[in-house]
Each structure stands twice: as structure tokens, then as C-alpha cells.
């Protein structure tokens, strides 16, 4: 199995631009999580999907952030418009049982 | 409220010596406990978990952890450290009766010195 796949691995953009991060979970996993990691705040859960349905988005910082999971093999996290304080590493994780989570390699986002 | 504490920001150990990375938790009921490792520019990799059963859990790369309910601890251990074990280690807890959410500790940087 290829594990959780995320793209792009690195993204540099300018303030105000739209950013879309992509995630392909491990096949057969029915739960998907988006996290953000910064030095100041550590790992923060942004949103959780179960069977493609958003269950809890209380960690999404503000309306500029949105996430979708149109099918079991694909999810996106969109930031529009982006701001410098959104600079972070964004991780996607999937789980077969809502217990053990398997993380992707992350997308390092830099907003100038 | 659930919480996880990793009291040490960094642990230094000589190669070949035993290592311990500490984790304590606060959660109602019987928790699910996890350890993850993060190498530079990589995602978190699952090391081991405690759900139920034997308090000593063995995981990947020779790591093990001991669940101690009375001390609410789940320390990560390895009998003989390798330089390649140098990384950032995260403890996480999940309340099995509550939500699916992990609560992560702040991480402990392990440095194994040759």
C-alpha cells in the first residue's frame, strides 16, 4: 500500500491567493482527518470525515478554510483567501477504525 | 477535560543506552494511548498503541511502552538507543467513550548521541 498521499508537498503562494491541498487516503479507510502543525500551536485537528461526511469541523480556523470529501479516495482542503498566518505544515491522516491514524507526508504551505 | 503532557522538550541519550520518553495523560475512563514518531520533513509514523490487555506494549523499531493506570502514564522506552532513533516523538490519547479526536502532546525531541 502506498500509504496516505498528499499533494503538493510544498506550496508557496502570495497573500490573497487560493490554495488547494489534496489528500488520497489509504484504500478501505473510512475516516479522514486534516491537521495543521506549527511551532507555536503544535498539531491541531481541523476537520474529521467519516464515510465521506464531515462530522466535526470545529477546528477549522475561520470561513476562509473549507474541506470536501467527494468520494472515499479523495479529499481537499481549500484556503481562500490565504494569509501569511496560514503558513504551516498540513497533514492528512486516515483510519480504518477511528483508533489508529496513518499520516501522510504533509504539505508545507508558505504564504508570502 | 482530556489532556496529554510530555514534560520534556528534549531528551539526550548516548547510543546504546536505554531511553525513556515520558507521557502522562488525563482522561476519564480507560483511554486509548498512542505513540508516533516524526522524522524531519516527514509525516507522523505510528509506533504503538495501548487499547486494552497487557500493560506492556511492543511496537515498531524495538520500541515499547508501559501503561500505568495508577500513575496515568504511558512512557515510551527502548533498551538500546540508535542514532537513527533521533526524531520528534508524540504521545496521543483518545477517549474511547467520547469523540474520535486524538489529543496530542507537544512532542519530545529525542537526540541520540554517537
Amino acid at each position: 500500500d502506498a500509504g496516505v498521499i498528499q499533494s503538493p508537498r510544498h506550496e508557496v503562494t502570495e497573500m490573497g491567493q487560493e490554495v488547494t491541498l489534496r489528500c488520497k487516503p489509504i484504500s478501505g479507510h473510512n475516516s479522514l482527518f486534516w491537521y495543521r502543525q506549527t511551532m507555536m500551536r503544535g498539531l491541531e485537528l481541523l476537520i474529521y470525515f467519516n464515510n465521506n461526511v464531515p462530522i466535526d469541523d470545529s477546528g477549522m480556523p475561520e470561513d476562509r478554510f473549507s474541506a470536501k470529501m467527494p468520494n472515499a479516495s479523495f479529499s481537499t482542503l481549500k484556503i481562500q483567501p490565504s494569509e501569511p498566518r496560514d503558513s504551516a505544515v498540513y497533514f492528512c491522516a486516515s483510519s480504518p477504525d477511528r483508533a489508529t491514524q496513518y499520516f501522510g507526508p504533509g504539505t508545507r504551505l508558505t504564504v508570502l | 477535560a482530556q489532556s496529554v503532557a510530555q514534560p520534556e522538550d528534549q531528551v539526550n541519550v548516548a547510543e546504546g543506552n536505554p531511553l525513556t520518553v515520558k507521557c502522562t495523560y488525563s482522561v476519564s475512563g480507560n483511554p486509548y494511548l498512542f505513540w508516533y514518531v516524526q522524522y524531519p520533513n516527514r509525516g507522523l509514523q505510528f509506533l504503538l498503541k495501548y487499547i486494552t490487555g497487557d500493560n506492556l506494549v511492543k511496537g515498531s523499531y524495538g520500541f515499547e511502552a508501559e501503561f500505568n493506570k495508577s500513575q496515568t502514564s504511558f512512557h515510551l522506552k527502548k533498551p538500546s538507543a540508535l542514532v537513527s532513533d533521533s526524531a520528534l516523538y508524540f504521545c496521543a490519547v483518545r477517549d474511547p467513550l467520547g469523540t474520535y479526536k486524538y489529543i496530542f502532546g507537544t512532542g519530545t525531541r529525542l537526540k541520540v548521541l554517537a
Side-chain angles (χ1 to χ4, degrees), chain A residues 10-21 36 38 64-65 78-90 107-112:
Chain A
H10 302 273
E11 176 82 28
V12 180
T13 191
E14 292 189 347
M15 184 173 64
Q17 296 298 306
E18 177 179 296
V19 175
T20 299
L21 311 181
R36 177 171 67 176
T38 61
R64 297 184 297 107
F65 285 69
K78 187 176 293 187
I79 308 172
Q80 166 63 21
S82 58
E83 297 183 3
R85 61 195 168 115
D86 301 330
S87 298
V89 181
Y90 291 81
T107 296
R108 183 174 296 277
L109 174 64
T110 302
V111 183
L112 303 174

Side-chain angles (χ1 to χ4, degrees), chain B residues 5-56:
Chain B
Q6 292 182 244
E8 301 153 318
D9 289 337
Q10 181 158 321
V11 170
N12 295 329
V13 63
E15 187 175 30
N17 282 3
L19 70 87
T20 299
V21 182
K22 296 179 180 177
C23 173
T24 58
Y25 65 89
S26 173
V27 67
S28 56
N30 296 316
Y32 291 177
L33 294 157
F34 305 83
W35 276 102
Y36 284 81
V37 60
Q38 185 177 29
Y39 297 99
N41 301 315
R42 304 282 296 275
L44 279 70
Q45 294 180 34
F46 170 72
L47 275 180
L48 52 79
K49 67 182 177 186
Y50 173 83
I51 302 294
T52 188
D54 194 346
N55 289 346
L56 184 64

Side-chain angles (χ1 to χ4, degrees), chain A residues 17-32:
Chain A
Q17 296 298 306
E18 177 179 296
V19 175
T20 299
L21 311 181
R22 296 173 177 79
C23 174
K24 177 178 169 57
I26 294 171
S27 177
H29 287 194
N30 58 4
S31 296
L32 185 137

Side-chain angles (χ1 to χ4, degrees), chain B residues 97-112:
Chain B
L97 299 181
T99 72
Y100 46 86
K101 287 182 180 179
Y102 276 22
I103 304 298
F104 279 95
T106 50
T108 297
R109 189 163 300 281
L110 173 67
K111 193 168 185 178
V112 182

Side-chain angles (χ1 to χ4, degrees), chain A residues 17-100:
Chain A
Q17 296 298 306
E18 177 179 296
V19 175
T20 299
L21 311 181
R22 296 173 177 79
C23 174
K24 177 178 169 57
I26 294 171
S27 177
H29 287 194
N30 58 4
S31 296
L32 185 137
F33 306 80
W34 280 100
Y35 289 88
R36 177 171 67 176
Q37 185 180 37
T38 61
M39 289 292 292
M40 291 296 295
R41 301 171 70 96
L43 272 162
E44 302 174 276
L45 177 65
L46 300 177
I47 188 168
Y48 158 60
F49 291 87
N50 189 47
N51 293 323
N52 312 337
V53 176
I55 303 299
D56 185 349
D57 64 355
S58 60
M60 297 285 262
E62 47 198 273
D63 291 345
R64 297 184 297 107
F65 285 69
S66 63
K68 293 183 180 180
M69 192 166 186
N71 58 60
S73 59
F74 184 65
S75 177
T76 60
L77 177 68
K78 187 176 293 187
I79 308 172
Q80 166 63 21
S82 58
E83 297 183 3
R85 61 195 168 115
D86 301 330
S87 298
V89 181
Y90 291 81
F91 290 106
C92 175
S94 68
S95 175
D97 56 9
R98 297 195 295 171
T100 306

